[in-house]
Amino acid sequence: MNETIITLSTGEQIRTEAPEHQILEHITNNQGMMNKAFIVIGDVHIATAHIVKIQSIVDVIKRPDRFEQADLNVTPKQIEQTEEIVSPNQFELLEQELREAMQTRDIFALDTFLHDDLVFINHEGSYVTKEMDLEAHRTLAVRFTKVACSDLQIKPTKDGAVTISRIHLEGQEGDEKISGDFIYTRVWQLIGEQYQVITGHCTKL
């Protein structure tokens, strides 16, 4: 039997027989962007902002415990294989949630998405750590009023994906106004039970 596992930012896992593609179609629009605040699995209401991973568990057909061929009598071990399927739509959803966290200054969400040892180089060539980024949002040193994506490319990797997005930013950084298009490159990697950004870079166009 096939099942889908939904992993939340709290580490909790919810199992369902609903196919992965059906869940993703329900909470995303035609561009793969999140457009539903909640999804209902059985009697459980799940906030889509807390979903960090959706994976299908596929059980390959099991061979018989015993079979006979002519003068052969072989008893092989039961063979079972589990395959995890990671959909690019998951990273579209993660990128959407990260942009929303940037615009709303959601420190909890940002803390969840960014790895503790994050290495990020901004458009000025400056090195930015996770704590520096969180502090900038926490103290309102950086305030985004618009974080809009016009293009997103996803390159799957063994344990995650590399995302390249064109982002239009509007806001304020100190006394300076922010307004323009930027190219963001992020490396998402599976850390424990959730995907996090481990490194990134942005360039102003």
Side-chain angles (χ1 to χ4, degrees):
M1 180 182 68
N2 299 344
E3 66 176 354
T4 301
I5 299 178
I6 301 174
T7 303
L8 307 182
S9 58
T10 60
E12 180 183 1
Q13 291 188 334
I14 298 173
R15 296 172 179 265
T16 174
E17 294 182 10
E20 174 192 359
H21 69 85
Q22 181 178 333
I23 297 173
L24 291 170
E25 288 175 358
H26 181 72
I27 61 178
T28 59
N29 58 25
N30 292 334
Q31 287 74 45
M33 301 302 181
M34 179 179 65
N35 64 348
K36 295 290 182 65
F38 291 90
I39 184 173
V40 179
I41 302 295
D43 297 327
V44 181
H45 287 68
I46 306 170
T48 54
H50 291 164
I51 297 177
V52 297
K53 184 180 179 183
I54 301 174
Q55 67 186 88
S56 295
I57 302 300
V58 181
D59 289 338
V60 177
I61 298 175
K62 299 177 182 179
R63 299 179 183 176
D65 292 333
R66 186 180 182 86
F67 64 92
E68 296 181 359
Q69 291 182 346
D71 58 344
L72 295 179
N73 188 0
V74 183
T75 305
K77 292 183 179 180
Q78 189 178 57
I79 299 177
E80 182 176 324
Q81 179 180 5
T82 300
E83 177 184 3
E84 292 188 5
I85 304 175
V86 179
S87 168
N89 285 342
Q90 296 181 41
F91 296 100
E92 292 184 14
L93 185 59
L94 287 170
E95 285 279 328
Q96 170 72 9
E97 293 174 351
L98 180 53
R99 291 194 300 273
E100 291 179 354
M102 291 170 61
Q103 184 169 328
T104 61
R105 299 190 301 277
D106 188 336
I107 304 301
F108 175 79
L110 291 171
D111 182 57
T112 300
F113 290 135
L114 305 181
H115 190 267
D116 289 343
D117 297 324
L118 170 73
V119 177
F120 188 84
I121 306 299
N122 66 17
H123 63 286
E124 296 178 336
S126 300
Y127 178 92
V128 180
T129 66
K130 173 180 177 176
E131 186 53 40
M132 291 168 63
D133 186 64
L134 295 181
E135 186 66 13
H137 288 280
R138 190 181 294 118
T139 61
L140 303 183
V142 173
R143 303 183 298 279
F144 294 119
T145 57
K146 185 174 183 179
V147 183
C149 178
S150 61
D151 182 64
L152 174 62
Q153 300 179 43
I154 299 173
K155 309 297 183 184
T157 63
K158 180 180 179 181
D159 298 314
V162 175
T163 60
I164 305 170
S165 56
R166 179 169 182 151
I167 307 295
H168 180 75
L169 297 178
E170 292 183 9
Q172 198 82 14
E173 182 175 7
D175 297 328
E176 296 184 6
K177 181 179 179 181
I178 300 174
S179 181
D181 290 338
F182 297 76
I183 297 295
Y184 275 80
T185 302
R186 298 188 181 97
V187 178
W188 292 86
Q189 183 170 319
L190 184 61
I191 307 295
E193 294 295 331
Q194 66 185 34
Y195 289 102
Q196 291 184 306
V197 179
I198 60 172
T199 187
H201 173 269
C202 75
T203 302
K204 186 173 183 179
L205 298 178

